[in-house]
Amino acid sequence: MEKLNEMVGEFMQRRVNFLVSALGSVNSTLEEASETMDVDVQMQPYKLEDIKNKIDIAIKAKDEEIWSQQRAITFVGNVDAVLDDILLFYNYII
């Protein structure tokens, strides 16, 4: 993974350097700045979220009345219409 990150980082650095240089070539008022500008690329690996852990936190916060049900659902994510989902749940259990 580290080797891949290094390769992608090098590619991105070359790409940024090219774009800065091209910007100076296309817009003559930016030519001097493009020659002196130094841009460093830093890669941040994507981290998968542990959805089970988020659900456990939300349930605990809701049960201890720290969060509302709406806040708990929003925290877990993957919900576009929180209020609609809460009403659907209540209608289902009634």
Side-chain angles (χ1 to χ4, degrees):
M1 182 67 173
E2 188 174 320
K3 178 95 171 143
L4 176 62
N5 193 18
E6 186 176 318
M7 288 173 51
V8 172
E10 290 173 4
F11 166 78
M12 294 300 293
Q13 185 66 58
R14 286 192 304 274
R15 185 73 177 160
V16 167
N17 291 344
F18 167 76
L19 291 173
V20 169
S21 175
L23 182 63
S25 297
V26 171
N27 187 338
S28 60
T29 61
L30 298 174
E31 186 174 2
E32 184 179 338
S34 72
E35 292 172 357
T36 59
M37 183 183 296
D38 190 26
V39 179
D40 289 326
V41 174
Q42 294 181 352
M43 302 296 291
Q44 175 134 2
Y46 179 76
K47 182 179 176 187
L48 295 174
E49 292 185 33
D50 183 1
I51 191 74
K52 182 183 180 320
N53 187 42
K54 287 185 87 170
I55 291 171
D56 291 343
I57 290 169
I59 289 172
K60 185 175 181 181
K62 168 77 176 70
D63 288 347
E64 293 180 10
E65 298 182 1
I66 296 170
W67 286 348
S68 66
Q69 184 173 4
Q70 181 177 350
R71 174 67 181 109
I73 291 172
T74 304
F75 173 76
V76 173
N78 300 326
V79 176
D80 294 326
V82 175
L83 292 176
D84 290 343
D85 284 355
I86 291 172
L87 291 174
L88 181 66
F89 175 73
Y90 279 128
N91 288 334
Y92 178 75
I93 62 171
I94 293 177

